[in-house]
Amino acid sequence: MSENSEFRDCPATGIGSMPGGDAREAAKTVTGSFGDGEGMPYLAELPARGPGADMTGRTIGLLSELYGHVEPSGWRISDRPGRDTRRARSWLGEDLDALEEYTQGYEGPLKVQAVGPWTLAAALERRGGEAFLGDPGACRDLADSLAEGLRGHLAEVRRRVPGARLALQLDEPSLTAVLRGRVRTASGYRTYRAVDRQVVEDVLREVLAAAGGTATLVHTCAPEVPFALLRRAGAGGISFDLSLLTEREEEAVGEAVEGGTRMFFGVVPGTDPASGRLSDPGGSVMGVRTLWRRLGLNPGTLTESVTVTPSCGLAGASPAYARAALAHCARAARSLADNPE
């Protein structure tokens, strides 16, 4: 098995979103939870501030020479950067300022997130109200714009945090729906045709390649993760909710691990548990140990192959729980390293 050294010193991280609207508080929490080798801090998203602070709005604010505005149905393409695009860019600047403040002198891994090309194509509307997904040429233009925007975004983060070793995460929760023809049209009465798997793979590869030498991963909190497709597209890591993994998908996980792909296992609840408390850290990663045994993988490879995360973003959690969840991920990762079997 080849070790994926791109993600060294990344035993734990978060997905992206955080509760509340205070950029400095979010940056303080994220950097404080994963400093000193405890994991990978990240540029947090704060969707509670409104449209433009959500993951889709933020990504639209990153696009090159494409703009969006908010309609009652969601984000729609615009001819020029209006109020909604400017607001998205302003909030991104505020979040970058806060991250820069709390990473002075930092050297280590740092993650940034953006919506991937297929989830973006399913969410962003063309002028007539239908999604980009219904027009192959428009999808290609959108992916090109996203790739160019990501190059600029990564360069800006490197300038602000020069000691960071960056990782780019593409959020693709709609990817399986795109592949299986499950994305509904504007009317809701029909669905868009499934996109050919090779086309999906090729576009993902091009957008991931925009990261240059930066480590890349793809996150999805949906069932039926296309592990093999993501690996072929060049993702160095795959992030998913472990509770959604089915037995027939386990072999694909084993192949990915043996091929050097980093597994970002979502094992900590993304919202406050009904019981009001989390399980012990060792219990949170018991499913990872069990999976390793079933796959016949060497327990000694866990630390070089696994990053512990929440099951999804933390936007719906209370601020206190979000802090506790990130700290719990770090402790669970330590438990996995100290007691791999």
Side-chain angles (χ1 to χ4, degrees):
M1 181 171 64
S2 61
E3 179 180 351
N4 189 339
S5 60
E6 291 178 306
F7 293 108
R8 66 186 185 278
D9 306 323
C10 299
T13 191
I15 300 302
S17 65
M18 293 288 287
D22 188 328
R24 294 182 73 254
E25 183 62 30
K28 179 181 178 182
T29 297
V30 168
T31 55
S33 299
F34 298 123
D36 301 321
E38 291 289 295
M40 181 162 55
Y42 56 96
L43 176 63
E45 300 149 358
L46 300 172
R49 291 182 297 196
D54 58 302
M55 69 178 192
T56 302
R58 163 161 294 179
T59 303
I60 289 169
L62 293 174
L63 295 176
S64 173
E65 298 184 7
L66 285 179
Y67 316 104
H69 67 275
V70 178
E71 293 280 345
S73 55
W75 282 90
R76 185 171 295 181
I77 200 69
S78 296
D79 293 323
R80 59 186 64 84
R83 178 185 60 186
D84 296 326
T85 298
R86 288 194 296 270
R87 182 171 54 201
R89 292 175 175 175
S90 175
W91 272 328
L92 173 59
E94 185 179 308
D95 293 339
L96 285 168
D97 289 344
L99 181 70
E100 184 177 4
E101 178 183 347
Y102 284 98
T103 52
Q104 293 295 311
Y106 175 74
E107 295 183 355
L110 177 68
K111 180 165 68 72
V112 297
Q113 306 83 222
V115 176
W118 293 109
T119 295
L120 193 60
L124 181 59
E125 299 174 356
R126 289 171 286 155
R127 289 175 180 83
E130 291 294 344
F132 269 66
L133 191 60
D135 183 333
C139 286
R140 180 68 63 176
D141 291 343
L142 183 61
D144 290 344
S145 173
L146 175 61
E148 186 60 31
L150 287 173
R151 290 187 190 97
H153 182 46
L154 290 168
E156 174 68 5
V157 178
R158 287 191 192 97
R159 184 186 69 78
R160 288 172 175 262
V161 194
R165 193 171 69 250
L166 291 186
L168 170 65
Q169 172 183 305
L170 293 183
D171 291 311
E172 283 283 15
S174 298
L175 183 60
T176 299
V178 168
L179 288 165
R180 299 189 179 275
R182 297 174 182 165
V183 179
R184 292 201 171 275
T185 60
S187 69
Y189 293 120
R190 62 182 184 87
T191 57
Y192 292 104
R193 183 179 301 174
V195 181
D196 181 84
R197 297 181 75 86
Q198 190 60 55
V199 173
V200 169
E201 180 184 325
D202 290 346
V203 169
L204 270 172
R205 182 182 297 108
E206 290 172 19
V207 176
L208 288 167
T214 297
T216 58
L217 65 145
V218 175
H219 165 74
T220 175
C221 49
E224 303 174 79
V225 179
F227 291 99
L229 184 153
L230 294 176
R231 291 176 58 212
R232 291 194 302 270
I238 301 173
S239 171
F240 62 101
D241 182 347
L242 182 59
S243 71
L244 299 178
L245 188 72
T246 63
E247 190 173 333
R248 63 187 177 83
E249 293 170 311
E250 290 181 0
E251 185 178 343
V253 172
E255 291 173 355
V257 170
E258 290 179 336
T261 304
R262 186 87 175 192
M263 291 289 109
F264 289 69
F265 286 118
V267 297
V268 176
T271 54
D272 301 52
S275 65
R277 59 187 181 84
L278 288 158
S279 67
D280 67 282
S284 293
V285 289
M286 184 61 69
V288 178
R289 294 190 183 95
T290 301
L291 176 62
W292 235 244
R293 285 195 296 271
R294 274 205 303 270
L295 293 172
L297 296 170
N298 179 359
T301 64
L302 277 165
T303 55
E304 70 188 39
S305 302
V306 171
T307 297
V308 177
T309 76
S311 58
C312 208
L314 295 167
S318 67
Y321 176 74
R323 290 191 294 270
L326 295 182
H328 190 85
C329 287
R331 289 195 296 271
R334 283 200 300 273
S335 169
L336 203 58
D338 294 341
N339 303 290
E341 299 190 60

